[in-house]
Coordinates of all heavy atoms in Angstrom, one line a residue:
Chain H
Q41 N 228.7 101.0 114.3 CA 228.3 100.9 115.7 C 226.7 100.7 115.6 O 226.0 100.9 114.6 CB 228.6 102.1 116.4 CG 230.1 102.5 116.6 CD 230.8 101.4 117.4 OE1 230.3 101.0 118.4 NE2 231.9 101.0 116.9
G42 N 226.2 100.3 116.7 CA 224.7 100.3 116.8 C 224.2 101.7 117.1 O 224.8 102.5 117.5
P43 N 222.8 101.8 116.8 CA 222.3 103.1 117.1 C 222.2 103.4 118.5 O 222.1 102.7 119.4 CB 220.8 102.8 116.6 CG 220.9 101.7 115.6 CD 222.0 100.8 116.1
Q44 N 222.4 104.8 118.8 CA 222.3 105.3 120.1 C 221.1 106.2 120.3 O 220.9 107.1 119.4 CB 223.5 106.1 120.5 CG 224.8 105.2 120.9 CD 225.8 106.1 121.6 OE1 226.4 106.9 121.1 NE2 226.0 105.7 122.8
F45 N 220.3 106.0 121.3 CA 219.0 106.6 121.6 C 219.3 108.2 121.9 O 220.1 108.5 122.7 CB 218.3 106.1 122.8 CG 217.1 106.7 123.1 CD1 215.9 106.5 122.4 CD2 217.0 107.4 124.3 CE1 214.7 107.1 122.8 CE2 215.8 108.0 124.7 CZ 214.6 107.9 124.0
I46 N 218.7 109.1 121.1 CA 218.8 110.5 121.4 C 217.7 110.9 122.3 O 217.8 111.4 123.3 CB 218.9 111.3 120.1 CG1 220.0 110.9 119.2 CG2 219.0 112.8 120.4 CD1 220.0 111.5 117.8
F47 N 216.5 110.8 121.7 CA 215.2 111.1 122.5 C 214.0 110.5 121.8 O 214.0 110.0 120.7 CB 215.0 112.6 122.8 CG 215.3 113.5 121.6 CD1 214.6 113.4 120.4 CD2 216.2 114.6 121.7 CE1 214.9 114.3 119.4 CE2 216.5 115.4 120.7 CZ 215.8 115.3 119.5
Q48 N 212.9 110.5 122.6 CA 211.6 110.1 122.0 C 210.5 111.2 122.3 O 210.6 111.8 123.4 CB 211.3 108.8 122.7 CG 209.9 108.2 122.2 CD 209.4 107.0 123.0 OE1 208.9 107.1 124.1 NE2 209.6 105.8 122.4
Y49 N 209.6 111.3 121.4 CA 208.5 112.2 121.6 C 207.2 111.4 121.4 O 207.1 110.6 120.6 CB 208.5 113.3 120.4 CG 209.4 114.5 120.8 CD1 210.8 114.4 120.6 CD2 209.0 115.6 121.3 CE1 211.7 115.4 121.0 CE2 209.8 116.7 121.7 CZ 211.2 116.5 121.5 OH 212.0 117.6 121.9
Y50 N 206.3 111.7 122.4 CA 205.0 111.1 122.4 C 204.0 112.2 122.5 O 203.9 112.9 123.5 CB 204.9 110.1 123.6 CG 203.6 109.5 123.8 CD1 203.0 108.7 122.9 CD2 202.9 109.7 125.1 CE1 201.8 108.2 123.1 CE2 201.6 109.2 125.3 CZ 201.1 108.4 124.3 OH 199.9 107.7 124.6
R51 N 203.1 112.2 121.5 CA 202.0 113.2 121.5 C 202.6 114.6 121.8 O 202.1 115.3 122.5 CB 201.0 112.9 122.5 CG 200.2 111.6 122.2 CD 199.0 111.3 123.0 NE 198.3 110.1 122.7 CZ 197.2 109.7 123.2 NH1 196.7 110.3 124.3 NH2 196.6 108.6 122.8
E52 N 203.7 114.9 121.0 CA 204.3 116.1 120.9 C 205.1 116.6 122.2 O 205.6 117.7 122.2 CB 203.3 117.3 120.5 CG 202.5 117.0 119.2 CD 201.3 117.9 119.1 OE1 201.5 119.1 119.2 OE2 200.2 117.4 118.8
E53 N 205.2 115.7 123.1 CA 206.0 116.0 124.2 C 207.3 115.0 124.3 O 207.1 113.9 124.0 CB 205.2 115.7 125.5 CG 204.0 116.6 125.7 CD 204.3 118.0 126.2 OE1 205.3 118.2 126.9 OE2 203.5 119.0 125.9
E54 N 208.3 115.6 124.8 CA 209.5 114.7 125.0 C 209.3 113.7 126.1 O 208.9 114.1 127.2 CB 210.8 115.6 125.3 CG 212.1 114.7 125.4 CD 213.3 115.6 125.6 OE1 213.8 116.3 124.8 OE2 213.9 115.4 126.7
N55 N 209.5 112.4 125.7 CA 209.1 111.3 126.6 C 210.4 110.8 127.4 O 210.2 110.1 128.4 CB 208.4 110.2 125.9 CG 207.9 109.1 126.7 OD1 207.2 109.3 127.7 ND2 208.4 107.9 126.4
G56 N 211.5 111.0 126.8 CA 212.7 110.3 127.3 C 213.9 110.8 126.6 O 213.8 111.2 125.3
R57 N 215.1 110.8 127.1 CA 216.2 111.4 126.5 C 217.5 110.6 126.8 O 217.6 110.1 128.0 CB 216.5 112.8 127.0 CG 217.5 113.5 126.2 CD 217.7 115.0 126.7 NE 218.6 115.8 125.8 CZ 218.4 116.4 124.7 NH1 217.0 116.5 124.3 NH2 219.2 117.0 124.0
G58 N 218.3 110.4 125.9 CA 219.5 109.6 126.1 C 220.7 110.7 126.5 O 220.4 111.8 126.8
N59 N 221.9 110.2 126.5 CA 223.0 110.9 126.9 C 223.6 111.9 125.9 O 224.7 111.8 125.4 CB 224.2 110.0 127.4 CG 223.7 109.2 128.7 OD1 223.0 109.9 129.5 ND2 224.3 108.0 128.8
F60 N 222.8 112.8 125.4 CA 223.1 113.8 124.4 C 223.0 115.2 125.0 O 222.0 115.4 125.7 CB 222.3 113.6 123.2 CG 222.7 112.5 122.3 CD1 222.3 111.1 122.5 CD2 223.5 112.6 121.1 CE1 222.7 110.1 121.8 CE2 224.0 111.6 120.4 CZ 223.5 110.3 120.7
P61 N 223.9 116.0 124.6 CA 223.8 117.3 125.2 C 222.6 118.2 124.6 O 222.0 117.8 123.6 CB 225.1 118.1 124.5 CG 225.5 117.2 123.4 CD 225.0 115.9 123.6
P62 N 222.3 119.3 125.3 CA 221.1 120.1 124.9 C 221.1 120.7 123.5 O 220.0 121.0 123.1 CB 221.2 121.2 126.0 CG 221.9 120.7 127.1 CD 222.9 119.8 126.5
R63 N 222.3 120.7 122.9 CA 222.3 121.2 121.5 C 221.6 120.3 120.6 O 221.3 120.6 119.4 CB 223.8 121.5 121.1 CG 224.7 120.3 121.0 CD 226.2 120.7 120.8 NE 227.0 119.6 120.8 CZ 227.2 118.9 119.6 NH1 226.5 119.4 118.5 NH2 228.0 117.8 119.6
F64 N 221.3 119.1 121.0 CA 220.4 118.2 120.3 C 219.0 118.5 120.8 O 218.7 118.2 122.0 CB 220.8 116.7 120.5 CG 222.0 116.3 119.7 CD1 223.2 116.6 120.3 CD2 221.9 115.5 118.6 CE1 224.4 116.2 119.6 CE2 223.1 115.1 118.0 CZ 224.3 115.5 118.5
S65 N 218.1 118.9 119.9 CA 216.7 119.2 120.3 C 215.7 118.7 119.2 O 216.2 118.4 118.1 CB 216.4 120.7 120.5 OG 216.7 121.4 119.4
G66 N 214.5 118.6 119.6 CA 213.5 118.0 118.7 C 212.1 118.7 118.7 O 211.9 119.4 119.7
L67 N 211.4 118.4 117.9 CA 210.0 118.8 117.8 C 209.1 117.7 117.1 O 209.7 117.0 116.2 CB 209.8 120.1 117.0 CG 210.2 121.3 117.6 CD1 210.1 122.5 116.5 CD2 209.4 121.8 118.7
Q68 N 207.9 117.5 117.6 CA 206.9 116.6 116.9 C 205.7 117.5 116.7 O 205.3 118.2 117.6 CB 206.6 115.4 117.8 CG 205.7 114.4 117.2 CD 205.3 113.3 118.1 OE1 205.2 113.4 119.2 NE2 205.0 112.1 117.4
F69 N 205.1 117.3 115.5 CA 204.0 118.2 115.1 C 202.7 117.4 115.1 O 202.7 116.1 115.1 CB 204.3 118.7 113.7 CG 205.5 119.6 113.6 CD1 206.7 119.0 113.1 CD2 205.6 120.9 114.2 CE1 207.9 119.8 113.1 CE2 206.8 121.6 114.2 CZ 207.8 121.1 113.6
P70 N 201.6 118.1 115.1 CA 200.3 117.3 115.2 C 200.1 116.3 114.0 O 199.3 115.4 114.2 CB 199.3 118.5 115.2 CG 200.0 119.6 115.7 CD 201.4 119.5 115.3
N71 N 200.7 116.6 112.9 CA 200.5 115.7 111.8 C 201.5 114.5 111.8 O 201.7 113.8 110.9 CB 200.7 116.4 110.5 CG 202.2 117.0 110.2 OD1 202.9 116.8 111.1 ND2 202.4 117.6 109.1
Y72 N 202.2 114.3 113.0 CA 203.1 113.1 113.2 C 204.5 113.3 112.5 O 205.2 112.4 112.6 CB 202.4 111.8 113.1 CG 201.2 111.6 113.8 CD1 200.1 111.1 113.2 CD2 201.2 112.0 115.2 CE1 198.9 111.0 114.0 CE2 200.0 111.8 115.9 CZ 198.8 111.3 115.3 OH 197.8 111.2 116.0
S73 N 204.7 114.5 111.9 CA 206.0 114.7 111.3 C 206.8 115.2 112.5 O 206.3 115.6 113.5 CB 206.0 115.7 110.2 OG 205.6 116.9 110.7
S74 N 208.1 115.1 112.4 CA 209.1 115.5 113.5 C 210.4 116.1 112.9 O 210.7 115.9 111.8 CB 209.3 114.4 114.5 OG 209.9 113.3 113.8
E75 N 211.1 116.8 113.8 CA 212.3 117.4 113.4 C 213.4 117.0 114.5 O 213.1 116.9 115.7 CB 212.2 118.9 113.3 CG 211.5 119.4 112.1 CD 211.5 120.9 112.1 OE1 212.0 121.6 113.1 OE2 210.9 121.4 111.1
L76 N 214.6 116.9 114.0 CA 215.8 116.8 114.9 C 216.7 118.0 114.6 O 217.1 118.1 113.5 CB 216.6 115.4 114.8 CG 218.0 115.4 115.3 CD1 217.9 115.5 116.9 CD2 218.7 114.1 114.9
N77 N 217.0 118.8 115.6 CA 217.8 120.0 115.3 C 219.1 119.8 116.1 O 219.1 119.4 117.3 CB 217.2 121.3 115.9 CG 215.9 121.6 115.1 OD1 216.0 121.9 114.0 ND2 214.7 121.4 115.7
V78 N 220.2 120.1 115.5 CA 221.6 120.0 116.1 C 222.2 121.4 115.9 O 222.4 121.8 114.8 CB 222.4 118.8 115.6 CG1 223.7 118.7 116.4 CG2 221.6 117.6 115.6
N79 N 222.6 122.0 117.0 CA 223.2 123.2 116.9 C 224.8 123.1 117.1 O 225.3 122.1 117.7 CB 222.8 124.2 118.1 CG 221.4 124.6 117.7 OD1 220.9 124.8 116.7 ND2 220.6 124.8 118.9
A80 N 225.6 124.1 116.7 CA 227.0 124.1 116.9 C 227.6 122.7 116.6 O 228.2 121.9 117.5 CB 227.3 124.4 118.4
L81 N 227.5 122.3 115.4 CA 227.9 121.0 115.1 C 229.4 120.8 115.2 O 230.2 121.6 115.1 CB 227.6 120.8 113.4 CG 226.3 120.5 113.0 CD1 226.1 120.7 111.6 CD2 225.8 119.2 113.5
E82 N 229.7 119.4 115.7 CA 231.1 119.1 115.9 C 231.3 117.9 114.9 O 230.4 117.3 114.4 CB 231.2 118.6 117.3 CG 230.8 119.7 118.4 CD 230.9 119.2 119.8 OE1 231.2 118.0 120.0 OE2 230.7 120.0 120.8
L83 N 232.7 117.7 114.7 CA 233.1 116.6 113.9 C 232.4 115.2 114.2 O 232.1 114.5 113.3 CB 234.6 116.5 113.8 CG 235.3 117.8 113.3 CD1 236.8 117.5 113.3 CD2 234.9 118.2 111.9
D84 N 232.4 115.0 115.6 CA 231.8 113.7 116.0 C 230.4 113.5 115.7 O 229.8 112.5 116.1 CB 232.2 113.6 117.5 CG 233.6 113.2 117.8 OD1 234.3 112.9 116.8 OD2 234.0 113.3 118.9
D85 N 229.7 114.6 115.3 CA 228.2 114.5 115.0 C 228.0 113.8 113.7 O 226.9 113.4 113.3 CB 227.6 115.9 115.0 CG 227.6 116.6 116.3 OD1 227.6 115.8 117.3 OD2 227.7 117.8 116.4
S86 N 229.1 113.5 112.9 CA 229.0 112.8 111.7 C 228.5 111.5 111.9 O 229.1 110.6 112.6 CB 230.4 112.8 110.9 OG 230.8 114.0 110.5
A87 N 227.4 111.1 111.3 CA 226.7 109.8 111.6 C 225.4 109.6 110.7 O 225.1 110.6 110.0 CB 226.3 109.7 113.1
L88 N 224.8 108.5 110.8 CA 223.5 108.3 110.2 C 222.5 108.6 111.4 O 222.6 108.0 112.4 CB 223.4 106.8 109.8 CG 222.1 106.3 109.1 CD1 222.0 107.0 107.8 CD2 222.1 104.8 108.9
Y89 N 221.6 109.4 111.0 CA 220.5 109.7 112.0 C 219.2 109.1 111.5 O 218.7 109.2 110.5 CB 220.3 111.2 112.1 CG 221.5 111.9 112.8 CD1 222.7 112.2 112.1 CD2 221.5 112.1 114.2 CE1 223.8 112.7 112.8 CE2 222.5 112.6 114.9 CZ 223.7 112.9 114.2 OH 224.8 113.4 114.8
L90 N 218.6 108.2 112.5 CA 217.6 107.5 112.2 C 216.3 107.9 113.0 O 216.5 108.3 114.2 CB 217.8 106.0 112.6 CG 219.0 105.2 111.8 CD1 219.4 104.0 112.6 CD2 218.4 104.8 110.5

Side-chain angles (χ1 to χ4, degrees):
Chain H
Q41 301 297 316
Q44 281 198 295
F45 178 75
I46 303 174
F47 42 57
Q48 183 185 78
Y49 278 78
Y50 172 61
R51 295 186 174 181
E52 301 168 53
E53 298 281 336
E54 186 177 292
N55 181 59
R57 190 178 184 92
N59 294 326
F60 281 82
R63 59 189 186 85
F64 286 79
S65 62
L67 285 172
Q68 185 185 28
F69 302 103
N71 64 355
Y72 304 133
S73 65
S74 60
E75 290 181 353
L76 165 65
N77 298 289
V78 187
N79 293 322
L81 283 167
E82 300 177 359
L83 297 179
D84 285 349
D85 295 334
S86 295
L88 181 69
Y89 287 85
L90 298 160

